[in-house]
Structure formats: C-alpha cells, structure tokens
C-alpha cells in the first residue's frame, strides 16, 4: 500500500489510551490486534524509526532523520510474519511508530504512538491512538450529507467506539479518551491542571478507587450525557454520535476542561 494510507483526511478523530500496564514496545501491537479483530485489514504501510531503544518524541518530526515509511507486501506467510515482528516491537534495530489499516465503510485507519511534551518525566508513556478521518463523522446533524455519507459516518462511529471499548476492557488503560485533532494528555499534564480532555472518556477502576469522589463528580459533570459501567471502569460520553442513546452535553469545551481537572486530581492521589 502507498504512503498515503498512513495520512488521513482531516479532521482526525482518535481513540487514545494511556496503557501503563503494557511495555512501550508491546502496546502498539496489542492495540493493532484489537483493530484487526474489529474487521480492519492491515495495508502493510508502516512508519519505522531506526534504533534499538524505543524513542521519546515531542513531535514526530523530531525523529525525521531516523524515520522511514515502509510498505510490507502482505501476500504470503513470510511477509505477514515480518509485519507481525515489526508491529510487535520485536524487530532488531527498528521500532514501529505508525501502522496503516483499511476498515469496511470507514476507510483508512492508523494505529500510532502520540507525542509527549518535551519536559515529560522519564516514566511517562506515549499514548497509543486509533485514528480515523472525521471528515464526515464531525459534520453537524444539519449538514446536507447523502445517505451513503451518513452510513459512512455511522460506520466510523461504530468502529471507533467498538474498538475503544474493546481495548479499555481487555488492556485496562489507566484512562483513555476520544479526541478531535488532539493528543491524549499525559498524567503530568493532567496533574498540572491545564490540560483539557474531550467529552468521550474512560476512567479505570484504579483511578476511581484512588479518588472515591471521582465517579460521582464525573457523573454530575456528564449528567446530560451518556454513562456506562464497563468491566474495567466507567465510560462517559457527551458526543451524541459516539454513544448508543445519542446524548450530548452542553458546553462540551467546559466539560472537557473540568473532566481534565478532575482526572488530574485523581492521578495526584493515585501517585501518593
């Protein structure tokens, strides 16, 4: 597949996870397995960085001299095994940072490591994100979309929310979110109180246990949105396109800001 399969039309909608229970090299491959299980097919397109150690980066361009867009032909067992070795973080001298997929009715899907701030603590992990184009998904209800376009937007929403739940329940991230044209804030950013989340949020049982009032506070914040108990934590949604009841919150930017602050306080308590 061509390089273009890694570069989606904006705006980008990403389901991103802070996977603190997985080794950095293994996290991408685990998320890729969930994307494949949801019906997406790998294109063979990869972004690889040369080196033995997993790199830290504030912007992907920081690694420009060491990056390579590759295309693995997935037509036989040997090529498929090469792809699995690369994506699983087991190839010597190379680490995969981005993987291309195609999903029915959705189109291109990428699984990628998101950046972290330059001043991030050494223990900070890079979030892993599943990204799709939101060109149709983010259109307002009043937009004049064709029936085909509406079906595509609905398919993208179903795919993203299904994989989001699958990863959250199987891999138990510390927290996760679905964001538009944004990266998932790190714990350090959230604890500082200045980072904003979107209106789609997963909070693990570990965080809820560390801050007993967190669940109640978030439920109040998302009172007009959608809330569900998952096996490993709570899902809160304020974007009607991404929850089964089509419920939305008023002032989503304010809700995202407040949710970020509440999560930051809980992370501070967890760290004690």
């Amino acid at each position: 597949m061509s390089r273009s399969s890694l570069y989606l039309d904006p705006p980008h909608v990403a389901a991103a996870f802070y996977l603190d229970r997985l080794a950095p090299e293994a996290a991408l491959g685990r998320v890729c397995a969930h994307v494949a299980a949801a019906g997406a097919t790998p294109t063979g397109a990869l972004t690889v960085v040369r080196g033995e150690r997993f790199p830290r980066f504030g912007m992907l361009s920081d690694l420009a001299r060491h990056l390579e867009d590759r295309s693995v032909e997935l037509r036989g067992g040997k090529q498929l095994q090469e792809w699995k070795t690369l994506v699983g973080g087991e190839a010597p001298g190379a680490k995969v940072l981005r993987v291309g997929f195609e999903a029915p009715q959705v189109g291109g899907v990428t699984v990628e490591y998101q950046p972290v701030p330059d001043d991030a603590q050494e223990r900070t992990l890079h979030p892993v994100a599943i990204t799709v184009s939101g060109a149709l998904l983010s259109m307002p209800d009043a937009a004049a979309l064709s029936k085909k376009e509406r079906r595509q937007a609905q398919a993208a929403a179903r795919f993203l929310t299904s994989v989001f739940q699958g990863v959250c329940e199987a891999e138990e991230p510390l927290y996760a979110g679905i964001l538009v044209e944004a990266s998932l804030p790190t714990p350090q950013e959230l604890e500082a109180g200045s980072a904003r989340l979107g209106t789609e949020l997963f909070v693990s049982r570990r965080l809820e246990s560390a801050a007993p009032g967190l669940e109640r506070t978030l439920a109040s914040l998302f009172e007009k949105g959608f809330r569900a108990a998952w096996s490993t934590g709570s899902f809160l949604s304020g974007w009607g396109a991404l929850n089964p009841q089509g419920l939305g919150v008023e002032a989503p930017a304010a809700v995202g800001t407040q949710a970020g602050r509440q999560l930051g306080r809980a992370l501070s308590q967890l760290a004690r």
Side-chain angles (χ1 to χ4, degrees), residues 76-97:
K78 184 177 180 180
Q79 290 86 353
L80 182 59
Q81 185 56 50
E82 178 189 3
W83 182 89
K84 288 181 178 179
T85 300
L86 282 164
V87 171
E90 300 171 353
K95 302 300 178 187
V96 174
L97 301 183

Side-chain angles (χ1 to χ4, degrees), residues 23-243:
E25 295 86 350
L28 188 81
R30 293 286 285 271
V31 174
C32 283
H34 288 279
V35 170
T41 303
T43 65
L46 307 166
T47 297
V48 178
V49 62
R50 295 183 295 277
E52 295 296 337
R53 297 182 61 187
F54 184 84
R56 293 176 63 82
F57 58 94
M59 295 178 62
L60 196 58
S61 58
D62 296 343
L63 307 173
R65 290 187 300 168
H66 307 285
L67 288 178
E68 176 187 357
D69 282 336
R70 294 184 56 181
S71 182
V72 179
E73 294 292 337
L74 301 177
R75 295 180 179 175
K78 184 177 180 180
Q79 290 86 353
L80 182 59
Q81 185 56 50
E82 178 189 3
W83 182 89
K84 288 181 178 179
T85 300
L86 282 164
V87 171
E90 300 171 353
K95 302 300 178 187
V96 174
L97 301 183
R98 186 162 46 190
V99 184
F101 288 83
E102 290 281 336
Q105 291 191 286
V106 178
V109 179
T110 61
V111 181
E112 58 196 332
Y113 289 103
Q114 292 187 328
V116 298
D118 292 331
D119 62 351
Q121 297 170 355
E122 186 62 30
R123 67 177 183 272
T124 300
L125 301 171
H126 286 266
V128 180
I130 303 163
T131 304
V132 302
S133 171
L136 296 176
L137 180 58
S138 60
M139 287 288 187
D141 293 338
L145 298 179
S146 67
K147 289 183 179 180
K148 179 180 179 181
E149 288 172 331
R150 289 198 181 279
R151 285 196 299 270
Q152 289 175 325
Q154 291 165 358
R158 286 194 301 270
F159 175 83
L160 203 58
T161 53
S162 173
V163 182
F164 186 68
Q165 181 172 0
V167 174
C168 287
E169 293 199 299
E171 310 301 344
E172 196 181 351
L174 186 58
Y175 60 93
I178 301 178
L179 309 101
V180 180
E181 291 293 349
S183 295
L184 186 71
T186 64
Q188 185 179 343
E189 290 176 292
L190 289 166
E191 287 181 52
S194 58
R196 193 178 85 192
L197 294 165
T199 58
E200 314 307 295
L201 180 64
F202 167 80
V203 182
S204 67
R205 292 272 181 263
R206 289 178 286 150
L207 263 184
E208 291 175 339
S209 297
L214 177 64
E215 189 174 3
R216 182 176 64 255
T217 301
L218 289 176
S220 176
L221 193 58
F222 284 82
E223 182 180 5
K224 294 188 177 181
F226 176 81
R227 305 186 302 279
W230 290 351
S231 62
T232 52
S234 299
F235 172 56
L236 303 108
S237 170
W239 184 1
L242 298 182
N243 66 68

